[in-house]
Amino acid sequence: MLVGRYEIIRELGGGGFAITFLAKDYLQPSQPLCVVKQLRPERTEPRIVEFFETEATVLEKLGKYSQIPQLLAHFRENNNLYIVQEFIEGHDLKAEIIPGKQLSESYVIKLLQDVLEVLSFVHNQQVIHRDIKPENLMRRHQDGKIFLIDFGAVKELGTLIVNVQGKVTSSVIVGTPGYMPNEQKNAKPIFASDIYALGVMLIQALTGVSAVDFEEDAKTGEILWRHQARVSKHLANVLTKMVRRHYSLRYANATEVLQDISKKLSPPPTRPQQSVNWSRRRVIQTVGLMGASFSLAIVVEKFFLNNSARRKALPSNSSIPANNIPVPSPNETPALSTKSVNTKELALKTFQFKVMKVDKQGNITTISPGQAIYFIEDLGNGNTLEMVEIPGGQFLMGSPVGEKQRNTNEGPQHPMTIKVFFMGKFTVTQEQYQAVMGINPSYFQGANRPVEQVSWNDAVKFCQKLSLMTNKNYRLPSEAEWEYACRAGTTTPFYFGETITTEITNYNGGYTYGSAPPGENRQETMDVGSLPANAFGLYEMHGNVWEWCQDKYHNDYRGMPANGSAWVSGNNNPCLLRGGSWLTQSSVCRSSARLDGGNSDVAFYDFGFRVVCTPG
């Protein structure tokens, strides 16, 4: 316990001169988590303390910007110096920018713009960061925003040299090999040094080559990289100028880069949309399955089409080009089919599975049998889609106030009524996406892995084409349907219980939840069906990939429809994702956790989806 207020929870990282801890602030019960940095100079000489106070003032000023952690306190105790900052729940970009993996141009453009906006504020405050690299950029899980952390001045404070005369010098080189230009290696950093480091990081993202492994021109010393990435001429020119060997040939500061890219680089183009009037259709009420097949036959008869009618509506899969499917905006709902079917042609089946429960330490306590009803959708060429019946009912949506690592956007908790629907047993796989759309955009290739790098628009277009192929009502789940299906009758943070482990979920196992131990960090997707199902027979509702919902993102649930339908109001609101992914920490995988997914054309390699089929 530091100064009777900050209780150290665990070490987050550090080196010989500074250690970073996650701590709990007992005087801030509403936001108890914070980050404590312990700086350990060899001697707490007066000039060091003076430097500490000066840099703390700078950090306090910078922390007023919304995407720089706020300075909460600074103090001295037991000859150590401490800085307390806001805790950002998210992951650093080392989890996204991985050596050997090439990221898209649209990703790099968006990241360039996001970082420059923060760095422009920093430079306008006459501050040089001095250590721009993936580890010092955090993506907040709540909304995907980029935060700039770990300013070089803090490192310098920990490494000040005290010579035998007691004089303090600050000529220590601060930075990371591969990201430092020559002037910074000579302990003379300038604003253009930050620009160089950012450019190196973005080239690393495009090429998959580590920063320390870049080739250089033998004569000029310039970085050679264009042959290793397919990139537009405009972006290539911007990045090349950012990493020029001599600072006089680079952009002078972040504002100058921003001004240049606003002329040269437009945001990633959205997919063409056709203007179309989509009508919201009345969803037919159905009764649950009461031990006999009569009520199920009523549901089925409303939305299955017999084979002859299907042949008239759709001669072949190839007759529906993906590019000709109009994409509704996130505040529009596609029209649904109301054609009936001869129930004799329906091949309903049941399947068995195992449902696991864990204790607070993540140990499996029970394994019980489960059974669910499903049907198989034929996608052609041997490809199928399994759709599981989700019985209607009521539940409390959102998280209770006392749930660990709860966000305010998960409340207020409220009752919700859900009607019967069918949901994909798995997230849509690459094989299924290829069968319907004719392409596979995924970064982690594998037929049975979930399709990723798909935007909301992509997911809606898939549903539209699948609906035309089958004459059934396929769409994305509403957010209420998704949480109801994920919980499967449970009220705990996860459908397994009070915690999860990487034995039963694919997430970044370096982060723990509750009393469970750390686990594996796979750093990639897994085949669907690899991990246990919930009580409804749905697999990987926690982790693996985020899943798009129909709804637009809202900051809380005030004003949300109570009938389970999608909440699509708010023209400028972003789209919404659920479930967490292989990339995220454990708390984001909770049944109630929500993510602002950005615009409808945003796609990352942990964004996927699963489909819903409803009565028409």
Side-chain angles (χ1 to χ4, degrees), residues 159-177:
T159 58
L160 285 174
I161 299 172
V162 181
N163 63 22
V164 291
Q165 288 80 30
K167 295 180 180 179
V168 179
T169 63
S170 57
S171 60
V172 176
I173 297 173
V174 175
T176 301

Side-chain angles (χ1 to χ4, degrees), residues 17-239:
F17 298 102
I19 303 178
T20 305
F21 301 95
L22 180 66
K24 183 177 182 180
D25 183 354
Y26 278 92
L27 297 187
Q28 295 291 338
S30 61
Q31 292 182 320
L33 294 180
C34 58
V35 172
V36 173
K37 294 182 180 180
Q38 180 190 62
L39 308 172
R40 301 185 298 183
E42 293 180 4
R43 289 166 47 185
T44 315
E45 198 263 1
R47 281 286 306 280
I48 293 180
V49 176
E50 180 183 347
F51 188 93
F52 172 72
E53 293 292 340
T54 300
E55 293 309 317
T57 301
V58 172
L59 290 176
E60 184 176 17
K61 179 172 64 174
L62 293 176
K64 296 183 183 299
Y65 189 77
S66 61
Q67 287 167 251
I68 296 174
Q70 182 181 358
L71 180 71
L72 303 176
H74 66 282
F75 56 88
R76 176 180 174 184
E77 184 170 282
N78 297 328
N79 290 324
N80 288 317
L81 303 172
Y82 294 91
I83 288 175
V84 184
Q85 289 182 293
E86 174 189 7
F87 172 66
I88 306 301
E89 185 177 0
H91 63 267
D92 66 54
L93 293 192
K94 189 177 180 181
E96 298 181 15
I97 301 174
I98 303 170
K101 297 178 180 177
Q102 295 179 304
L103 300 179
S104 67
E105 179 171 347
S106 61
Y107 171 93
V108 168
I109 292 174
K110 180 68 165 60
L111 182 59
L112 173 61
Q113 293 170 327
D114 289 346
V115 177
L116 284 174
E117 288 176 2
V118 185
L119 194 57
S120 180
F121 169 81
V122 174
H123 287 177
N124 287 337
Q125 302 302 313
Q126 302 304 303
V127 174
I128 307 168
H129 186 278
R130 284 185 280 180
D131 203 13
I132 303 289
K133 59 183 178 180
E135 293 89 330
N136 287 338
L137 289 161
M138 297 282 296
R139 189 181 298 281
R140 186 165 64 182
H141 288 155
Q142 178 183 350
D143 53 17
K145 288 186 177 180
I146 296 294
F147 280 70
L148 185 57
I149 65 170
D150 213 6
F151 284 74
V154 178
K155 293 186 179 70
E156 184 175 343
L157 177 61
T159 58
L160 285 174
I161 299 172
V162 181
N163 63 22
V164 291
Q165 288 80 30
K167 295 180 180 179
V168 179
T169 63
S170 57
S171 60
V172 176
I173 297 173
V174 175
T176 301
Y179 299 95
M180 287 192 294
N182 288 334
E183 73 275 4
Q184 190 169 341
K185 293 176 184 177
N186 294 327
K188 296 179 180 179
I190 57 177
F191 295 135
S193 306
D194 285 345
I195 302 306
Y196 179 93
L198 177 57
V200 167
M201 187 187 79
L202 296 173
I203 292 173
Q204 181 182 347
L206 282 171
T207 63
V209 178
S210 297
V212 295
D213 294 329
F214 285 141
E215 297 178 48
E216 293 184 355
D217 187 288
K219 294 182 179 179
T220 65
E222 301 287 354
I223 295 175
L224 301 174
W225 67 274
R226 290 201 187 194
H227 65 289
Q228 295 176 295
R230 297 182 62 183
V231 62
S232 68
K233 179 180 178 181
H234 290 316
L235 178 59
N237 289 342
V238 169
L239 294 179

Side-chain angles (χ1 to χ4, degrees), residues 239-440:
L239 294 179
T240 297
K241 185 174 180 178
M242 291 176 72
V243 298
R244 295 298 297 269
R245 181 177 176 84
H246 198 273
Y247 64 84
S248 64
L249 301 177
R250 290 182 228 135
Y251 296 98
N253 52 47
T255 302
E256 190 173 307
V257 192
L258 269 176
Q259 292 172 346
D260 196 25
I261 66 173
S262 66
K263 303 173 186 175
K264 293 182 177 179
L265 300 177
S266 58
T270 58
R271 291 165 180 81
Q273 297 187 17
Q274 298 180 16
S275 181
V276 63
N277 295 321
W278 298 94
S279 60
R280 185 183 299 274
R281 297 298 298 265
R282 178 176 58 88
V283 178
I284 299 176
Q285 289 187 331
T286 60
V287 294
L289 184 62
M290 304 295 291
S293 61
F294 176 72
S295 58
L296 182 61
I298 295 176
V299 178
V300 170
E301 205 161 22
K302 295 293 183 180
F303 72 102
F304 281 90
L305 181 68
N306 61 40
N307 286 338
S308 61
R310 282 183 63 177
R311 283 193 294 270
K312 293 177 182 177
L314 181 68
S316 68
N317 289 356
S318 62
S319 67
I320 304 179
N323 292 335
N324 291 337
I325 304 299
V327 180
S329 67
N331 62 343
E332 296 174 325
T333 301
L336 303 179
S337 170
T338 56
K339 296 183 179 180
S340 61
V341 67
N342 184 344
T343 57
K344 293 180 180 180
E345 298 182 8
L346 177 63
L348 286 174
K349 300 180 179 181
T350 61
F351 70 99
Q352 283 74 40
F353 50 92
K354 294 178 180 179
V355 181
M356 295 184 181
K357 296 294 181 183
V358 299
D359 60 19
K360 293 183 178 181
Q361 288 72 43
N363 302 309
I364 297 173
T365 56
T366 62
I367 301 178
S368 55
Q371 179 173 292
I373 296 171
Y374 76 116
F375 71 87
I376 298 177
E377 189 70 80
D378 183 7
L379 304 180
N381 297 322
N383 298 303
T384 59
L385 176 67
E386 297 178 65
M387 300 296 297
V388 179
E389 185 195 40
I390 308 301
Q394 291 186 327
F395 79 113
L396 276 178
M397 185 173 182
S399 58
V401 173
E403 186 166 295
K404 293 179 181 178
Q405 299 187 44
R406 173 187 191 267
N407 286 316
T408 55
N409 67 356
E410 299 166 22
Q413 202 173 29
H414 58 289
M416 183 66 68
T417 300
I418 303 295
K419 297 176 181 179
V420 64
F421 62 97
F422 283 78
M423 191 175 207
K425 182 192 290 188
F426 313 113
T427 51
V428 172
T429 66
Q430 295 173 34
E431 186 176 58
Q432 292 164 344
Y433 195 85
Q434 178 83 43
V436 175
M437 304 301 289
I439 59 172
N440 179 11

Side-chain angles (χ1 to χ4, degrees), residues 329-331 551-554 567-575:
S329 67
N331 62 343
D551 309 54
K552 284 199 167 186
Y553 176 86
H554 296 76
W567 193 8
V568 295
S569 62
N571 290 334
N572 296 321
N573 289 27
C575 298

